[in-house]
Amino acid sequence: MDRTSRSNVLFVVLDTVRKDRLGPYAYQRETTPKLSRFAEEATVFESAIAPAPWTLPVHASLFTGRYPSQHGADQGSPYLDNVATLASVLSAADYDTACYSSNAWITPYTGLTDGFDEQDSFFEALPGDVLSGPLASVWQTVNDNDYLHELASKLVRVGAIAHEKLASGEGADSKTPEVIDRTRSFIDDSESDRGWFAFVNLMDAHLPYYPPETYRKEFAPGVDPDEVCQNSKEYNSGAREIDDEEWDAIRGLYDAEIAHMDAELGRLFAWLRETGQWEETTVIVAADHGELHGEHGLYGHEFALYDELINVPLLVKHPDLETGRRDDLVELLDCYHTILDAMDVDPSAVEADVDGDVLARDPTRSLLSRKYRAFEETEDPDPGQQAVLEGADDGGYAFVEYAQPVIELHHLEEKASDAGIDLPDDHRAYSRLRAARSTDAKYIRADRIPDESYRLDEEASADPTDDEVVAATERALERFEDAVGGAWDAPTDTNANEGDALAEANEETRDRLRELGYLG
């Protein structure tokens, strides 16, 4: 088949991967030789900012081009509702589309796979019907009904079970080789005259770390994954201490997982080259968020918006981008517009064939456009664009949001309780967070803990009353907060009253909860 006129995009998310553990970002250990080779053909972005520090809202932003406050997908309401996805638009424009992932949040249950012609989550910690079908309907009904909303605290435990099983090491075998194989099969079978869009999420670097033995021997020799702390909530709750030697072991396992992903990704890249499809394929490699390994006294990727979590790797290969490094600020949600640009798709042309609200393609948010971040040229500015445009100060900003983490909070409280620890009301786990970040500074707003502000070049706290760059960043955050509906300036209620809500639940909902083991 003649593929010369086709336009293809391969979008790879390395889940939970810090940029400072990759060769293209000057990591000294050789974790990513294949990615380092790819970087020689790509643009490497130094200041790519994720819109949230965890999977669901970030992927929802990648697939809709919207900030978390706009698309609304979070643990409290973990699904896209009446919002058209990138895959829906591309499928309507006659591209073949596929999504392969081993992440439990990227499933029909959350709506993130809407529009893909083919999809498989490869997630086996729970039966497939738990993450789709009846439960999705139950959860959406609960969250959309004032009387049933508090019942969500029961349903959240479904996610908690999945997380607990993963953290135990059960089902920890990597699905990455199968994800790569399925992606190759999809590409090989594609017959669209326009081309294909393949989205891949590789989950190995997410806790728990059980790398294949070959990579464990190289990067974590002598380390038994079952002998180190693999549950971040134990550490974050204060129930478990980790010394320097154990942190080194944990980081070694993490590096081994990244090395395994790199090898498998290299296998896919080599195949694309061998089959003559590499030159005509736009390739985007990013992380959705990073991970903390003891920095700031935290483990994992919850309860914070530090740079180790939200300043993520982003590498893009496209003929309109020069190879090399870029230091300018970019936002990860811009990938939505960049992919539409690369595939020459105008969402308005297929809007009638797509379910949900369709976001127009915006050249000021496409990395391929000469108008990138020239926000004064956009006709309908989004909250981030509006916050930049309304500022009298110079400089661009990226914006990050983190609603209260229901599942993580449940686990943290459980681990603390088991250890006889009482978490204070002002523990950071109870806080909602928002941040504005420039290339120079960051300001983090919280509703239960003190705000935090930094000069990035000094990696030190800075008071906005003494530092005008930090003060300008706080003003940018205030403008963003206004644009998305106001600041989170009042603490949320963390105690749901399940009894009254449960009394309102219909028998079908009760039966489903009973099947899942939450009712007697």
Side-chain angles (χ1 to χ4, degrees):
M1 179 178 184
D2 180 11
R3 299 177 181 265
T4 56
S5 62
R6 293 167 45 125
S7 176
N8 310 315
V9 170
L10 172 64
F11 189 3
V12 178
V13 168
L14 304 176
D15 206 292
T16 324
V17 169
R18 293 168 58 133
K19 76 174 196 177
D20 63 358
R21 307 307 269 272
L22 306 179
Y25 293 94
Y27 191 39
Q28 294 305 303
R29 300 187 84 183
E30 196 172 5
T31 53
T32 57
K34 306 303 183 184
L35 202 58
S36 293
R37 178 188 173 187
F38 169 66
E40 296 173 358
E41 306 175 62
T43 304
V44 179
F45 293 89
E46 295 281 2
S47 297
I49 308 303
W54 70 284
T55 295
L56 176 62
V58 173
H59 281 77
S61 292
L62 291 173
F63 291 169
T64 68
R66 295 168 165 89
Y67 289 99
S69 284
Q70 294 178 286
H71 60 62
D74 222 308
Q75 283 183 4
S77 299
Y79 52 84
L80 286 174
D81 187 17
N82 197 37
V83 179
T85 64
L86 174 65
S88 297
V89 173
L90 295 178
S91 293
D94 295 327
Y95 282 92
D96 287 337
T97 60
C99 171
Y100 300 113
S101 163
S102 52
N103 192 306
W105 292 110
I106 306 172
T107 64
Y109 149 71
T110 58
L112 291 184
T113 59
D114 289 356
F116 284 104
D117 302 323
E118 296 187 23
Q119 72 84 26
D120 197 327
S121 72
F122 296 88
F123 185 75
E124 298 175 356
L126 287 173
D129 68 330
V130 172
L131 296 173
S132 61
L135 181 60
S137 299
V138 169
W139 198 322
Q140 184 157 353
T141 298
V142 165
N143 279 280
D144 291 345
N145 187 304
D146 291 340
Y147 293 103
L148 296 180
H149 184 78
E150 290 178 354
L151 184 58
S153 60
K154 277 283 188 186
L155 295 178
V156 194
R157 293 170 182 253
V158 174
I161 288 176
H163 280 241
E164 190 71 25
K165 180 158 186 176
L166 283 174
S168 73
E170 299 178 54
D173 292 341
S174 173
K175 305 300 186 295
T176 291
E178 190 174 356
V179 169
I180 296 299
D181 289 343
R182 287 288 298 276
T183 303
R184 282 177 47 166
S185 295
F186 159 74
I187 293 170
D188 212 28
D189 293 342
S190 174
E191 296 182 349
S192 168
D193 291 334
R194 298 209 67 181
W196 49 261
F197 170 62
F199 176 83
V200 174
N201 175 291
L202 304 182
M203 189 72 171
D204 302 66
H206 193 288
L207 280 167
Y209 309 139
Y210 283 86
E213 186 176 1
T214 299
Y215 300 97
R216 179 157 49 88
K217 285 182 176 179
E218 180 178 357
F219 292 94
V223 176
D224 182 347
D226 290 320
E227 296 298 320
V228 301
C229 182
Q230 295 269 25
N231 191 307
S232 61
K233 315 313 180 292
E234 291 181 347
Y235 177 80
N236 293 333
S237 68
R240 174 80 148 78
E241 294 184 356
I242 301 176
D243 60 23
D244 290 344
E245 183 178 358
E246 188 174 5
W247 277 126
D248 286 342
I250 290 168
R251 292 167 187 145
L253 293 172
Y254 181 74
D255 285 350
E257 294 282 29
I258 292 173
H260 176 227
M261 285 191 293
D262 180 74
E264 289 298 313
L265 192 56
R267 186 163 65 88
L268 178 58
F269 287 174
W271 179 79
L272 286 170
R273 292 185 179 102
E274 292 165 4
T275 55
Q277 300 179 75
W278 183 250
E279 294 300 325
E280 66 193 47
T281 300
T282 298
V283 180
I284 301 173
V285 178
D288 53 348
H289 55 80
E291 187 83 325
L292 291 168
H293 289 141
E295 299 88 354
H296 314 283
L298 293 169
Y299 187 12
H301 51 272
E302 58 265 359
F303 317 138
L305 297 181
Y306 297 118
D307 252 32
E308 292 90 345
L309 301 182
I310 57 100
N311 184 10
V312 297
L314 175 63
L315 302 90
V316 183
K317 179 186 80 72
H318 187 277
D320 288 351
L321 291 175
E322 295 183 4
T323 58
R325 314 189 81 79
R326 277 178 51 173
D327 296 327
D328 56 313
L329 188 74
V330 304
E331 294 186 86
L332 211 57
L333 57 82
D334 297 336
C335 290
Y336 171 89
H337 302 276
T338 302
I339 291 168
L340 290 174
D341 206 355
M343 306 189 90
D344 193 24
V345 173
D346 178 4
S348 63
V350 297
E351 190 169 5
D353 300 318
V354 175
D355 292 332
D357 184 28
V358 175
L359 185 65
R361 187 169 110 195
D362 184 349
T364 74
R365 282 212 175 271
S366 168
L367 294 168
L368 308 182
S369 172
R370 294 180 180 178
K371 296 181 179 181
Y372 183 63
R373 295 193 75 86
F375 292 156
E376 66 277 2
E377 297 191 30
T378 192
E379 296 180 1
D380 184 20
D382 63 37
Q385 293 169 325
Q386 188 174 330
V388 171
L389 289 170
E390 292 178 355
D393 45 272
D394 293 331
Y397 298 93
F399 301 96
V400 191
E401 301 185 283
Y402 185 42
Q404 193 178 81
V406 186
I407 291 175
E408 283 77 9
L409 182 57
H410 166 79
H411 273 307
L412 191 79
E413 291 175 331
E414 189 176 64
K415 296 300 180 186
S417 177
D418 290 345
I421 297 171
D422 291 325
L423 297 178
D425 290 342
D426 62 352
H427 192 284
R428 66 165 46 249
Y430 295 113
S431 291
R432 296 173 296 176
L433 306 171
R434 280 197 180 116
R437 188 193 186 280
S438 69
T439 55
D440 299 315
K442 179 194 289 181
Y443 194 95
I444 303 172
R445 180 99 66 216
D447 64 356
R448 284 179 177 263
I449 59 176
D451 292 357
E452 299 176 83
S453 50
Y454 302 90
R455 282 297 293 265
L456 298 175
D457 55 350
E458 300 170 0
E459 296 185 355
S461 298
D463 191 325
T465 60
D466 300 325
D467 189 311
E468 175 53 31
V469 173
V470 172
T473 307
E474 182 184 13
R475 292 193 296 269
L477 179 57
E478 290 173 350
R479 296 191 297 271
F480 179 80
E481 290 171 324
D482 289 342
V484 295
W488 287 333
D489 53 10
T492 54
D493 181 10
T494 59
N495 298 312
N497 183 352
E498 297 173 359
D500 292 343
L502 190 58
E504 301 292 336
N506 61 29
E507 193 58 32
E508 181 180 355
T509 301
R510 285 172 170 270
D511 287 344
R512 190 59 180 153
L513 289 172
R514 195 171 290 113
E515 290 171 14
L516 295 169
Y518 304 129
L519 293 177

